[in-house]
Amino acid sequence: MQPELFPALIQQVRAIYGDGFIPLHRPVFEGNERQYLVDCIDSNFVSSVGAKVTEFEERIAAFTGAKYAVATVNGTAALHVALQLAGVQRGDEVLSQALTFIATCNALTYAGAEPVFIDVDRDTLGLSPEALRRWLTANADVREGQAYNRTTGKRIAACVPMHTFGFPLRIAEVVAVCDEYGIPVVEDAAESLGSYVGSQHTGTFGKLATLSFNGNKVITTGGGGMIITDDEVLARRAKHLTTTAKVPHPYEFVHDEVGYNYRLPNLNAALGCAQMERLPEMLAIKAEVARRYADFFEGSGIRFVQPIEGTTANWWLNAIVLEDEAARDALLEYTNAQGVMTRPIWRLMSRLEMFKHCQHDGLENSHWLEARVVNLPSSVPDGAMAAFPHVAGGA
């Protein structure tokens, strides 16, 4: 992107979001959030027990098409427990991508596993099924239905692909490769609520998946996460583990294993219920924001990241791919100096001190993208749900 285009980009962003400081992504509370919070306070149920927790779980399950949803205090906690439910044990290896947010690898570490980093596809920014197959062919053996790393001798206990910025990766192909090796897939769908492959929601392809409702996500509970699955046994165990593994009883406190205090408080769930009521509108408006960006970059020589054919993105974070690292840095410096927040993609996990020793496949595409990707402001604009009723389905 030529520097002479920088002012035009600032003008485009301000045409969408107005004057003043423009954050990367901010929450929007234009529905029943305040009323539902008051209702919780009046009910005295403000912690991890309450009707809004159950309602929020039911709303997420219905929206995603998953049979079961279990709310947690954040997305990292959800992924930690999901890995345990998938059978990951201390000393195992888990296949994932180096191009991801730190929470993915943190959760693997909490579970006692070590990541093995597989490259991503440049178009989806997510785990590449071809790279996955190449690595497994070269490095894995199957014994008694389970995959083992023939170099380290360790069990390959799971695969955790991540739908980067809400753009669906080739998840069906990833699951198919993993099935050949007996490797369960735990989808990191933290960023992809409202994203689809065909008509199937992301997070419903693997054995389990996790969502995040951090303050910068499409919808927020302030902090929060969710485990989704079609397996009733896993869902029951998820709820048990996230509620300190307490055996149900009217008054006695008996715990039958080491559990976690990971349940979502009722107050946070109240926010989530109100946000879910407006989710279709927010997704429609975010798609309109993305369309305006796409029109701006048309013919510029700059790739505006789009979902691949047959998929639908939630447009959590809009992204562009610059010519090189120097162009990326010039744009970041200019836009942030102008009060328009942009950011680079995450530093690769394989370049962080605590994961430098981990195995990887060279990560050619991951390094290429790390040097070039920039995120643009992607919030629902102030008042947009009232200002764009034609976009939001007439709401």
Side-chain angles (χ1 to χ4, degrees):
M1 186 172 185
Q2 299 301 316
E4 56 266 25
L5 294 178
F6 291 0
L9 176 58
I10 295 295
Q11 185 177 11
Q12 174 68 16
V13 172
R14 294 205 176 281
I16 298 172
Y17 292 106
D19 297 327
F21 174 73
I22 313 250
L24 193 70
H25 201 288
R26 54 172 285 279
V28 175
F29 302 120
E30 297 182 7
N32 290 316
E33 290 87 358
R34 186 181 301 273
Q35 183 58 54
Y36 290 173
L37 287 173
V38 171
D39 291 345
C40 281
I41 293 169
D42 289 345
S43 74
N44 290 321
F45 286 96
V46 297
S47 191
S48 57
V49 175
K52 288 300 182 185
V53 177
T54 300
E55 180 184 342
F56 186 44
E57 291 172 334
E58 291 172 348
R59 284 181 177 273
I60 289 293
F63 185 87
T64 62
K67 290 183 179 179
Y68 306 99
V70 178
T72 63
V73 71
N74 56 53
T76 307
L79 186 54
H80 176 201
V81 171
L83 288 165
Q84 188 168 334
L85 294 170
V88 175
Q89 299 176 13
R90 186 164 300 278
D92 286 339
E93 294 176 350
V94 174
L95 307 177
S96 191
Q97 55 199 70
L99 193 73
T100 186
F101 181 56
I102 187 66
T104 307
C105 287
N106 281 345
L108 296 180
T109 304
Y110 301 162
E114 184 167 290
V116 175
F117 296 120
I118 308 299
D119 207 2
V120 299
D121 287 326
R122 290 190 186 185
D123 53 359
T124 68
L125 316 182
L127 192 73
S128 167
E130 292 185 4
L132 178 65
R133 182 178 291 282
R134 283 196 301 269
W135 190 89
L136 286 168
T137 299
N139 295 279
D141 292 322
V142 178
R143 302 196 299 269
E144 298 180 351
Q146 297 200 339
Y148 290 85
N149 185 327
R150 66 172 68 109
T151 300
T152 64
K154 293 183 177 182
R155 186 172 69 115
I156 303 169
C159 177
V160 182
M162 201 270 282
H163 300 284
T164 306
F165 305 146
F167 295 104
L169 61 92
R170 292 178 172 86
I171 186 62
E173 292 90 332
V174 166
V175 171
V177 173
C178 288
D179 284 348
E180 293 178 22
Y181 285 83
I183 300 172
V185 173
V186 179
E187 285 179 75
D188 186 343
E191 302 172 356
S192 66
L193 180 65
S195 299
Y196 296 84
V197 178
S199 60
Q200 186 171 347
H201 198 285
T202 53
T204 61
F205 289 82
K207 188 181 187 74
L208 304 113
T210 58
L211 302 169
S212 171
F213 310 109
N214 189 34
N216 66 349
K217 294 300 189 293
V218 174
I219 69 164
T220 184
T221 57
M226 193 78 72
I227 300 168
I228 58 175
T229 183
D230 285 343
D231 189 315
E232 182 179 5
V233 173
L234 292 180
R236 289 182 181 277
R237 182 154 167 73
K239 187 167 289 190
H240 184 61
L241 282 176
T242 57
T243 319
T244 67
K246 182 181 181 298
V247 178
H249 192 278
Y251 51 85
E252 288 190 354
F253 283 82
V254 177
H255 306 261
D256 58 4
E257 61 181 311
V258 175
Y260 308 97
N261 189 14
Y262 279 176
R263 285 290 278 166
L264 185 71
N266 203 42
L267 278 174
N268 298 83
L271 280 178
C273 291
Q275 293 267 287
M276 284 298 293
E277 292 174 351
R278 310 300 293 274
L279 177 58
E281 297 172 66
M282 288 191 276
L283 290 172
I285 292 165
K286 287 176 70 64
E288 170 65 10
V289 170
R291 184 193 65 77
R292 296 185 186 187
Y293 277 134
D295 288 348
F296 174 82
F297 287 108
E298 183 72 28
S300 70
I302 300 302
R303 175 190 162 204
F304 178 70
V305 179
Q306 302 267 7
I308 61 173
E309 185 176 357
T311 70
T312 303
N314 64 0
W315 300 108
W316 172 54
L317 285 185
N318 294 290
I320 55 176
V321 183
L322 280 299
E323 180 182 1
D324 53 30
E325 189 171 355
R328 179 202 69 177
D329 291 347
L331 178 63
L332 290 169
E333 183 176 348
Y334 181 87
T335 51
N336 283 282
Q338 297 295 315
V340 172
M341 185 178 178
T342 59
R343 75 172 196 189
I345 204 167
W346 315 280
R347 179 165 294 186
L348 296 185
M349 298 297 102
S350 56
R351 296 211 300 128
L352 300 181
E353 193 62 37
M354 53 281 202
F355 301 118
K356 281 183 178 179
H357 67 284
C358 295
Q359 302 164 81
H360 60 77
D361 63 356
L363 304 172
E364 179 183 354
N365 290 336
S366 302
H367 282 283
W368 190 90
L369 289 164
E370 181 193 30
R372 292 167 173 81
V373 173
V374 169
N375 290 127
L376 304 173
S378 302
S379 308
V380 171
D382 284 332
M385 289 191 284
F388 301 153
H390 60 292
V391 174

